[in-house]
Amino acid sequence: MESMKSVAKPTKTTIKFYPIVKRVMDVLGASVGLLLLTPFLIILALIIKLSDLRAPVFFKQERIGKNGKRFLMYKFRTMIPNAEEKLAELLQFNEVEGAMFKMKHDPRVTKLGSFLRKTSIDELPQLLNVLKGNMSLVGPRPPLEREVAEYSVRDYGRLSITPGCTGLWQVSGRNDVSFAEMVDLDLEYIQKVSFALDVQILLRTVRVIFVPNSAY
C-alpha cells in the first residue's frame, strides 16, 4: 500500500484557510474540466447509448456524504440496466473484506464499462457533483447506505469531510487495497489535509487514467 508520508501535517494556518482554497480549487477545476472535456463527453455518451439503445447513458446512485448527508452521485453507465437488482445474488462472491462490495469479474459489467472503469473515465460526470458542492475533487469515496450500516466507530471518521472524486485510496492500489487499508488511507488524508497533498493526488489520478490500474 503506497502512502504519502512525505507530505507534512497541516499547520493551524493551513487548516484555517484550507476549506476556502479547496472549494475554489474544486469549482475552478470542475468548471475547466467540463469545458475542456465536453466534446469528449458527448462522443462517449453517444457510444454508450449506441451500445444499448434501451439503456440510459448515465447511472445515478444515492450515496452518503459529509456527516451522513445523502446525495445522488453521477457516473457513466458501466453495467447492465438491472445491475442493482442482481446485486443480492452476487454478494456471496464479494472479494473485499469489510463494508464494501467488489468482484473482479462482475457479470453485470459491460465490455465498454470494463474499459471505462479501468481508466476511471466513468467517473467524469462527478464533476457535476463537485460543482453542486456535495463532492470535492479530492476526498474519501462516498459509500452506499448499506456499507455505512456496517461501519465501526472508527470507519465513521471517513464521513467527517466532503467525499471526493479521487483520493489516496484510488492512487494507492484501489482494488488491491482492503477496506481496512482504505479507511487508514482516508483517515491519513483527513489528518494531513493541505493544498499540496490535493495537487499530488490529482496529478497521480491523471496518471491512472493513462496507465490503467487495478480498478474493476
Side-chain angles (χ1 to χ4, degrees):
M1 179 178 66
E2 190 175 358
S3 182
M4 290 191 173
K5 298 186 181 300
S6 60
V7 178
K9 291 184 179 181
T11 63
K12 290 184 178 180
T13 302
T14 300
I15 294 174
K16 180 179 179 180
F17 293 104
Y18 174 73
I20 299 174
V21 175
K22 186 177 181 67
R23 184 56 189 158
V24 171
M25 183 175 72
D26 283 344
V27 173
L28 289 178
S31 298
V32 172
L34 285 172
L35 182 63
L36 295 177
L37 293 171
T38 292
F40 171 72
L41 296 177
I42 291 175
I43 294 173
L44 182 55
L46 288 173
I47 293 174
I48 296 173
K49 189 62 179 178
L50 291 174
S51 69
D52 189 341
L53 295 176
R54 297 170 298 177
V57 171
F58 298 99
F59 175 69
K60 295 182 292 184
Q61 187 177 54
E62 186 177 84
R63 295 291 181 113
I64 306 300
K66 182 178 179 181
N67 297 326
K69 183 178 180 180
R70 291 173 170 77
F71 69 95
L72 284 180
M73 187 183 77
Y74 309 121
K75 297 179 68 174
F76 278 122
R77 181 180 60 82
T78 59
M79 293 185 171
I80 56 178
N82 60 340
E84 291 295 284
E85 300 171 12
K86 291 183 173 294
L87 177 59
E89 304 172 12
L90 300 173
L91 289 176
Q92 59 181 314
F93 302 112
N94 190 12
E95 298 175 11
V96 180
E97 293 184 5
M100 183 168 57
F101 175 80
K102 289 290 180 180
M103 184 178 176
K104 191 169 186 178
H105 299 292
D106 193 326
R108 302 173 301 162
V109 180
T110 65
K111 290 183 178 179
L112 175 59
S114 179
F115 169 75
L116 296 178
R117 286 181 167 219
K118 281 186 175 295
T119 56
S120 298
I121 292 176
D122 63 312
E123 297 179 357
L124 289 177
Q126 288 163 34
L127 291 176
L128 294 173
N129 286 116
V130 175
L131 288 180
K132 292 175 67 174
N134 44 40
M135 287 185 69
S136 175
L137 291 177
V138 182
R141 288 298 293 163
L144 294 163
E145 183 176 6
R146 62 174 174 78
E147 295 172 341
V148 175
E150 300 180 28
Y151 274 15
S152 67
V153 174
R154 184 170 185 271
D155 297 339
Y156 271 103
R158 301 183 68 247
L159 305 180
S160 63
I161 65 172
T162 303
C165 298
T166 187
L168 275 181
W169 170 59
Q170 288 90 330
V171 299
S172 302
R174 199 163 182 170
N175 291 319
D176 291 331
V177 176
S178 69
F179 175 74
E181 290 172 325
M182 181 189 73
V183 173
D184 288 341
L185 287 167
D186 287 338
L187 296 181
E188 177 184 342
Y189 170 77
I190 292 171
Q191 182 183 35
K192 295 181 177 180
V193 289
S194 70
F195 178 72
L197 178 56
D198 284 351
V199 171
Q200 284 191 39
I201 293 173
L202 288 172
L203 290 176
R204 289 173 60 180
T205 300
V206 172
R207 179 179 180 277
V208 167
I209 293 177
F210 293 100
V211 183
N213 56 17
S214 63
Y216 50 81

